[in-house]
Amino acid sequence: MTKIEKAAYIIEALEELYPTVEVPLDHKDPYTLLIAVLLSAQCTDKRVNTITPILFKRADNPFDMIKLDVAEIKEIIRPCGLSPMKSKGIYGLSQMLVEQYNGVVPADFEALESFPAVGHKTASVVMAQAFNIPAFPVDTHIHRLLTRWGITNGKSVVQTENDAKKIFPREKWNKLHVQIIYYGREYSPSRSPLLEKDFITRKIGTKKVKSTFKDWHSFE
């Protein structure tokens, strides 16, 4: 099966499984999405969704966020991990938004990636899901599955993103990356793969499916 044939099969299979998808992080606007995605680094979406209501009750916009100090933010988000870095990032990017963008999150990759604690993946999620600008954020599920499916060689997340963008139609990127995440969580988790359910890997995988998957670390 060629890569083009694999891509077509992946799109068809995931569209049947997940015809409608939403970002699994609770948010109401670009700012709250940006904060939620930042918090999700090396943290589960479920945990983030328990913390953001507490944080957003105090401050759900950059103007209110900078009224808090870093220590207050850190204490609230501590359960998400990496709280020293994340709290400084949240305060710093909120300050930049107020001072440089009148509190409005810019729909621009370069601008987003200039914010503290915001990497390419976080910027890509915001661009795709808040502004509907085509992007292909790569998380652990996408990196793992696109490698196993033979879409990329798995050498780096940068390579995975580039290969995905080459093989999948641009108009599919924003929805497809979320569909792959859903599939990875439901059918092919890294620690406890449900091999009897992982039909896409059995159909198009480049390697024989083993009893365990490599436990890829989190990527920013």
Side-chain angles (χ1 to χ4, degrees):
M1 188 179 287
T2 67
K3 285 188 178 182
I4 292 177
E5 291 171 332
K6 288 182 177 185
Y9 176 78
I10 291 166
I11 291 170
E12 181 180 3
L14 294 181
E15 190 63 32
E16 184 174 344
L17 281 176
Y18 311 110
T20 303
V21 293
E22 295 182 356
V23 179
L25 290 168
D26 296 338
H27 66 283
K28 67 175 183 177
D29 55 24
Y31 178 74
T32 53
L33 177 61
L34 174 60
I35 300 303
V37 178
L38 186 158
L39 288 173
S40 72
Q42 298 188 34
C43 181
T44 65
D45 292 345
K46 182 178 181 180
R47 178 166 293 180
V48 172
N49 288 339
T50 66
I51 299 304
T52 48
I54 302 170
L55 178 63
F56 294 154
K57 186 176 181 179
R58 297 284 304 277
D60 63 357
N61 62 81
F63 296 97
D64 288 338
M65 193 66 75
I66 62 174
K67 293 177 183 177
L68 305 177
D69 59 37
V70 173
E72 289 178 286
I73 299 171
K74 178 182 175 181
E75 185 60 31
I76 294 171
I77 69 170
R78 187 183 302 275
C80 290
L82 304 178
S83 58
M85 179 272 290
K86 291 178 180 178
S87 57
K88 291 178 183 178
I90 291 171
Y91 186 89
L93 71 85
S94 298
Q95 189 172 43
M96 288 179 66
L97 284 171
V98 169
E99 294 176 353
Q100 301 179 27
Y101 298 96
N102 196 31
V104 178
V105 176
D108 179 86
F109 271 107
E110 185 175 355
L112 289 171
E113 291 181 32
S114 73
F115 295 151
V118 176
H120 181 65
K121 191 202 79 173
T122 296
S124 295
V125 173
V126 173
M127 291 292 281
Q129 304 303 328
F131 301 117
N132 199 33
I133 295 173
F136 208 105
V138 174
D139 78 339
T140 56
H141 298 290
I142 293 174
H143 184 65
R144 180 178 72 252
L145 290 176
L146 293 189
T147 299
R148 182 164 291 277
W149 294 343
I151 300 299
T152 186
N153 59 26
K155 290 184 177 179
S156 71
V157 290
V158 173
Q159 186 65 50
T160 297
E161 179 180 345
N162 290 338
D163 290 341
K165 286 180 174 179
K166 289 176 183 177
I167 198 67
F168 294 114
R170 182 180 176 87
E171 66 273 13
K172 299 287 186 182
W173 293 354
N174 290 357
K175 184 177 183 180
L176 184 61
H177 89 87
V178 181
Q179 290 172 318
I180 296 173
I181 292 171
Y182 277 34
Y183 182 90
R185 290 175 177 175
E186 184 174 358
Y187 291 90
S188 188
S190 60
R191 292 185 182 275
S192 302
L194 306 175
L195 301 183
E196 72 279 4
K197 295 178 64 177
D198 189 2
F199 65 93
I200 295 181
T201 297
R202 293 202 311 269
K203 176 77 173 181
I204 68 172
T206 57
K207 298 179 182 179
K208 183 178 180 181
V209 177
K210 299 180 180 179
S211 59
T212 59
F213 287 103
K214 184 176 181 180
D215 185 22
W216 295 95
H217 59 78
S218 296
F219 297 98
E220 170 48 55

